């Protein structure tokens, strides 16, 4: 028997390693942007075509590389950022694993043009399949420009695994925002297919948040700022009134690195607890800075999860800092956004407190607790940590088939159109409908019933005959944030089947040319915006397709709400529609639409 064990050739080893770091175009975007930040750039331009599948290019004006370094940078485990294992606990850069460029060169066709300010000429390198095809001196601007073409051209299985362009672009926008948010003092731009998506001038964090997340946050941000021996926290939370139905605008950065932390998220939610409705999500952009030795960022190849040495302290600290900030917000001066950025960055403007207030605060017990090392975890220790998971783990959603068992809910108790027409119908509390049937009476929840009707109608329209469109006489324009615009583009074809005719109109704007015939015109804009919110709300549910989420969002959105008076004719129509549904018993999300009350049961109740 021959021996079987052999070493993998470099290019295969690299391709395998690449799988950990580069899963999709957005992962390459993240790595390249982070490298540019690490290189000290003050201007970073990102360009993508075909959602990054055919082209990703990052140009920076950072420190550039020497000819040898440029060549070395593509080797696996090649990094300038650490030399000793101890360095792992002192990391101040975004990268350190020395894997990104090697991985990218293993799965795409890459060119790099780079020049250090101190050098006369720059270096050009072309590399693919981890093999250098060309290396030559070149005239170049200071800094680095890396171009990456045809991602996964040599790994078809991975390429096929990529999602649609709008969906990959959404991931890119997400990564772009995470980096751009953390470095407001760097200029960033993003163009996709020749269209500019973001153009972010340097400025304060507050300006960056508003540039990225939208003007409605202007004057609605509360500054958070606390310092202790163990860690510092700074950033902004949205005033309670800006809390949304979706958890989109929430960002944690630890030492400027975006991280996902359900645990810290819970700390913020706790601080907001009494101030916002349940099921709504406040904006936050919070930066936690602490000694890198206190955390481990090397727990995951994409470095999005970190371990704190003492999680409880971080939790208590975040919660108290946010509470503290919220308690102050009514007296926080609202900044005039048109102020010169330099003025805005002055401490006197960005700090929530005046000098007197600061010394007052410093004397407060809260502050004192913060500044005693290791004491912060005594604050609010009564908070019920054991429930923190509930805040982020999606509750098991009922599907339409799995009705919560309820004695009063019957299997498809159908009322015929004639029965409906004959019976007397009553609306109760502007929310319920009562109708008599042979066995007793039915009590319907008007919104739930309508939601079911709309859901089946929309589902039919998408898979069969589209709903007719009625042209708008005065087409309204909706302006969206870049991420929402990408999302809406993704939904346009399905929306069209549902009777909505939306046309892209320049940067992040759409014109509503038509709405479903029969739908009352007027607040089309609001409908679309709310639908997007609702859609994002469902987006946590991975098990639903894009289309399913759209159907659920729209039917929820357009259903008649409680408080709407209905005429007898309208109630008859609703009942007829409901009992022509395939699954009339529940809403798509599993809430009952009606209950049956039987005469003999009623009799029993009254002792008869
Ligand atoms: P890491 O960032 O973990 O060090 P990378 O593979 O991303 O690993 O990069 C390897 C090295 O190449 C970096 O350590 C850095 O020295 C150099 N490098 C990468 N991108 C740039 C850039 N845009 N400008 C200057 N140097 C860069
Ligand atoms: Mg890197």
């Amino acid at each position: 028997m021959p021996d079987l064990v052999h070493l993998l050739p470099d290019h295969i080893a690299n391709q395998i390693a690449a799988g950990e770091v580069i899963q999709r175009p957005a992962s390459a975007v993240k790595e390249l942007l982070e490298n540019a930040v690490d290189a000290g750039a003050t201007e970073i331009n990102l360009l993508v075509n075909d959602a990054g599948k055919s082209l990703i290019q990052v140009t920076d004006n950072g420190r550039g590389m020497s000819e040898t370094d440029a060549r070395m940078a593509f080797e696996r485990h090649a990094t300038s950022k650490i030399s000793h294992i101890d360095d792992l606990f002192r990391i101040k850069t975004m990268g350190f694993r020395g894997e990104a460029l090697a991985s990218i060169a293993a799965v795409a066709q890459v060119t790099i043009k780079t020049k250090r300010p101190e050098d006369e000429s720059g270096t050009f390198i072309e590399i693919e399949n981890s093999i250098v095809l060309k290396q030559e001196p070149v005239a170049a601007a200071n800094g680095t420009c890396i171009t990456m073409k045809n991602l996964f051209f040599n790994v078809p299985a991975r390429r096929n695994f990529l999602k649609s362009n709008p969906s990959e672009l959404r991931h890119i926008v997400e990564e772009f925002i995470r980096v751009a948010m953390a470095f407001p003092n760097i200029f960033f731009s993003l163009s996709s297919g020749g269209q500019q998506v973001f153009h972010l001038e340097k400025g304060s964090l507050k300006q960056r948040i508003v540039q990225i997340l939208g003007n409605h946050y202007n004057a609605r941000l509360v500054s958070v700022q606390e310092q202790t021996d163990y860690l510092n926290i700074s950033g902004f939370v949205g005033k309670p009134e800006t809390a949304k139905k979706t958890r989109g605008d929430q960002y944690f950065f630890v030492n400027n690195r975006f991280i996902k932390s359900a645990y810290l998220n819970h700390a913020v939610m706790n601080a907001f607890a009494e101030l916002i409705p349940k099921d709504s999500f406040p904006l936050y952009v919070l930066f936690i800075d602490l000694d890198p030795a206190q955390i481990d960022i090397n727990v995951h190849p994409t470095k999005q999860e970190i371990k704190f040495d003492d999680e409880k302290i971080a939790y208590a600290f975040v919660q108290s800092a946010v509470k503290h900030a919220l308690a102050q917000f009514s007296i926080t001066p609202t900044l005039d956004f048109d102020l010169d950025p330099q003025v805005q960055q002055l401490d006197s403007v960005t700090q929530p407190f005046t000098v007197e207030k600061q010394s007052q605060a410093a004397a407060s017990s809260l502050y004192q607790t913060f500044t005693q090392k290791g004491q912060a975890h005594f604050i609010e220790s009564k908070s019920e940590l054991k429930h923190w998971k509930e805040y982020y783990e999606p509750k098991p959603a009922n599907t339409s088939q799995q009705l919560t068992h309820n004695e009063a809910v019957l299997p498809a108790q159908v009322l015929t159109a004639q029965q409906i027409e004959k019976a007397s119908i009553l609306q109760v509390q502007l929310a319920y409908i009562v109708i008599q049937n042979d066995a007793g009476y039915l009590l319907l929840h008007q919104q739930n019933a309508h939601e079911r009707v709309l859901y089946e109608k929309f589902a039919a329209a998408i898979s069969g005959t589209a709903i007719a469109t009625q042209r708008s006489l005065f087409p309204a324009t909706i302006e969206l944030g870049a991420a929402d615009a990408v999302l809406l583009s993704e939904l346009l074809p399905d929306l069209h089947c549902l009777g909505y005719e939306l046309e892209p109109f320049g940067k992040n704007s759409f014109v509503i040319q038509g709405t479903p015939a029969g739908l009352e015109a007027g607040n089309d804009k609001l409908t679309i915006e709310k639908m997007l919110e609702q859609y994002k709300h469902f987006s946590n549910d991975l098990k639903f397709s894009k289309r399913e989420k759209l159907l659920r969002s729209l039917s929820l959105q357009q259903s008649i709400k409680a408080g709407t008076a209905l005429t007898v004719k309208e109630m008859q129509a609703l009942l007829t529609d409901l009992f022509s549904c395939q699954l009339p018993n529940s809403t798509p999300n599993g809430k009952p639409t009606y209950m049956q009350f039987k005469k003999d049961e009623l009799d029993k109740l009254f002792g008869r």
Side-chain angles (χ1 to χ4, degrees):
M1 281 289 274
D3 292 333
L4 299 175
V5 176
H6 60 97
L7 285 174
L8 288 174
D10 265 0
H11 69 279
I12 298 186
N14 280 341
Q15 272 182 19
I16 294 172
E20 295 230 312
V21 189
I22 310 294
Q23 285 122 10
R24 51 168 21 118
S27 357
V29 163
K30 168 180 190 281
E31 296 295 336
L32 295 175
L33 292 177
E34 289 185 350
N35 278 350
V37 169
D38 284 346
T42 57
E43 267 183 37
I44 301 175
N45 293 288
L46 166 63
L47 213 137
V48 299
N49 278 343
D50 215 8
K53 293 172 188 170
S54 61
L55 174 80
I56 295 173
Q57 184 181 67
V58 173
T59 311
D60 69 55
N61 64 349
R63 67 178 70 89
M65 283 178 265
S66 72
E67 191 185 343
T68 326
D69 280 354
R71 174 66 196 79
M72 264 302 284
F74 287 95
E75 295 294 332
R76 197 134 54 97
H77 309 307
T79 180
S80 56
K81 299 168 195 173
I82 59 173
S83 325
H84 299 284
I85 189 68
D86 295 348
D87 294 343
L88 264 186
F89 307 100
R90 289 194 279 269
I91 285 171
K92 293 252 163 69
T93 50
M94 303 301 285
F96 59 87
R97 295 167 57 112
E99 287 177 320
L101 290 185
S103 300
I104 286 166
V107 293
Q109 296 158 333
V110 178
T111 65
I112 180 171
K113 209 183 205 191
T114 184
K115 181 175 118 44
R116 301 184 298 181
E118 63 265 38
D119 293 337
E120 279 287 293
S121 65
T123 305
F124 173 86
I125 294 178
E126 193 180 337
I127 184 165
E128 91 175 36
N129 254 333
S130 308
I131 296 161
V132 177
L133 302 180
K134 198 188 244 177
Q135 171 158 7
E136 60 190 23
V138 70
N142 291 337
T144 303
C145 173
I146 296 191
T147 303
M148 193 184 135
K149 287 188 180 150
N150 303 320
L151 179 63
F152 299 138
F153 78 105
N154 52 353
V155 202
R158 281 253 161 77
R159 193 173 176 92
N160 294 338
F161 192 69
L162 294 177
K163 299 269 169 52
S164 68
N165 281 6
S167 154
E168 292 297 344
L169 187 58
R170 206 141 51 89
H171 283 109
I172 289 177
V173 168
E174 205 171 80
E175 292 294 355
F176 176 89
I177 288 178
R178 290 168 180 177
V179 179
M181 193 75 95
F183 299 95
N185 51 347
I186 300 178
F187 167 91
F188 284 91
S189 78
L190 163 58
S191 299
S192 161
Q195 272 217 342
Q196 189 152 71
V197 183
F198 284 106
H199 180 97
L200 306 175
E201 296 292 352
K202 294 173 213 184
S204 63
L205 172 62
K206 187 169 183 178
Q207 284 174 312
R208 180 69 38 113
I209 294 173
V210 172
Q211 279 176 322
I212 293 178
L213 300 179
N215 244 320
H216 55 285
Y217 283 121
N218 191 13
R220 297 202 179 85
L221 297 174
V222 182
S223 161
V224 178
Q225 200 122 46
E226 300 281 0
Q227 300 186 342
T228 69
D229 297 345
Y230 180 68
L231 47 70
N232 297 335
I233 181 165
S234 62
F236 291 90
V237 295
K239 289 190 182 173
E241 79 241 29
T242 63
K244 289 186 181 179
K245 284 283 173 220
T246 49
R247 68 169 71 234
D249 302 334
Q250 303 189 326
Y251 299 85
F252 270 117
F253 299 89
V254 172
N255 293 351
N256 273 339
R257 186 187 303 280
F258 172 83
I259 59 143
K260 292 183 179 160
S261 169
Y263 187 70
L264 294 185
N265 173 63
H266 183 262
V268 180
M269 295 302 278
N270 230 333
F272 267 94
E274 310 287 285
L275 300 170
I276 55 173
K278 276 205 156 49
D279 301 335
S280 69
F281 301 91
L283 162 124
Y284 58 80
V285 179
L286 294 173
F287 292 79
I288 299 171
D289 292 303
L290 75 174
D291 179 353
Q294 305 281 1
I295 48 172
D296 184 357
I297 44 185
N298 199 23
V299 284
H300 192 263
T302 59
K303 313 180 209 89
Q304 279 192 1
E305 283 160 35
I306 63 164
K307 281 215 283 274
F308 287 91
D309 275 3
D310 194 334
E311 269 202 318
K312 287 210 183 97
I313 295 188
Y315 183 102
F317 186 77
V318 166
Q319 184 189 355
S320 305
V322 173
K323 268 197 177 166
H324 194 180
L326 286 171
Q328 304 288 336
F329 88 78
S330 47
I331 55 159
T332 304
T334 7
L335 300 190
D336 179 351
F337 205 70
D338 294 320
L339 276 183
D340 180 329
Q342 309 231 284
V343 176
Q344 284 209 28
Q345 279 172 350
L346 291 177
D347 274 2
S348 56
V349 181
T350 57
Q351 297 283 324
F353 310 129
T354 60
V355 178
E356 305 94 75
K357 278 183 197 140
Q358 276 189 7
S359 56
Q360 253 173 32
S364 78
S365 62
L366 182 67
Y367 186 90
Q368 306 248 314
T369 339
F370 271 146
T371 43
Q372 284 163 28
K373 198 166 191 158
Q375 292 298 302
H377 59 290
F378 286 118
I379 304 169
E380 299 291 335
S381 57
K382 62 181 186 296
S383 63
E384 295 198 35
L385 292 189
K386 61 183 190 301
H387 293 312
W388 66 274
K389 280 195 163 177
E390 288 171 11
Y391 276 76
Y392 82 103
E393 280 177 352
K395 304 229 166 61
N398 296 317
T399 63
S400 42
Q401 283 73 18
Q402 302 173 307
L403 261 180
T404 34
H405 187 68
N406 185 323
E407 286 303 310
V409 179
L410 284 186
Q413 165 80 32
V414 181
L415 275 178
T416 64
Q418 283 113 322
Q419 281 173 312
I420 292 169
E421 211 172 321
K422 274 201 322 227
S424 47
I425 305 178
L426 180 68
Q427 189 184 25
V428 182
Q429 299 290 342
L430 297 182
Y432 292 90
I433 298 170
V434 179
I435 181 172
Q436 178 174 323
N437 69 349
D438 293 345
Y441 69 90
L442 298 184
L443 178 66
L444 289 92
H445 187 275
Q446 71 186 41
Q447 182 180 354
N448 286 1
H450 195 218
E451 217 183 302
R452 161 56 62 186
V453 168
L454 289 175
Y455 176 80
E456 294 204 5
K457 175 175 148 199
F458 293 154
I462 274 191
S463 53
T465 333
I467 294 177
T469 301
Q470 141 195 330
R471 302 284 294 182
S472 314
L473 285 179
F474 308 103
T477 309
I478 355 179
E479 275 172 51
L480 298 170
D484 283 356
V486 170
L487 177 63
L488 188 58
S489 314
E490 193 176 345
L491 298 174
L492 287 186
D494 279 345
L495 277 170
H496 189 70
C497 294
L498 297 171
Y500 285 97
E501 203 171 307
L502 299 183
E503 272 171 21
F505 183 63
K507 199 181 152 223
N508 303 340
S509 298
F510 296 81
V511 182
I512 308 176
Q513 296 288 12
T515 49
L519 195 74
E520 231 176 285
N523 36 18
D524 319 328
K525 199 174 142 179
L526 196 67
T527 309
I528 299 284
E529 282 166 357
K530 285 197 172 158
M531 184 278 294
L532 279 176
E533 280 302 303
Q534 194 61 52
Y535 182 93
K536 287 187 281 180
H537 187 61
F538 283 124
S539 286
N540 297 330
D541 263 317
L542 292 175
K543 64 176 180 295
F544 295 137
S545 68
K546 183 172 94 179
R547 188 167 273 179
E548 180 67 21
K549 284 181 222 162
L550 176 65
L551 291 176
R552 287 175 183 229
S553 311
L554 261 189
S555 32
L556 193 78
Q557 186 44 49
Q558 290 187 4
S559 50
I560 349 163
K561 308 295 180 299
T564 316
L566 298 175
T567 63
V568 171
K569 268 218 147 54
E570 286 168 332
M571 291 190 283
Q572 284 173 336
L574 176 58
L575 286 160
T576 316
D577 288 346
L578 179 69
F579 291 109
S580 333
C581 281
Q582 290 178 351
L583 295 165
N585 297 40
S586 65
T587 68
N589 299 312
K591 292 183 188 143
T593 50
Y594 68 91
M595 311 249 171
Q596 163 83 60
F597 292 85
K598 291 187 186 157
K599 175 160 187 304
D600 47 359
E601 284 164 359
L602 294 171
D603 287 344
K604 263 188 234 149
L605 280 180
F606 291 93
R608 294 286 160 183

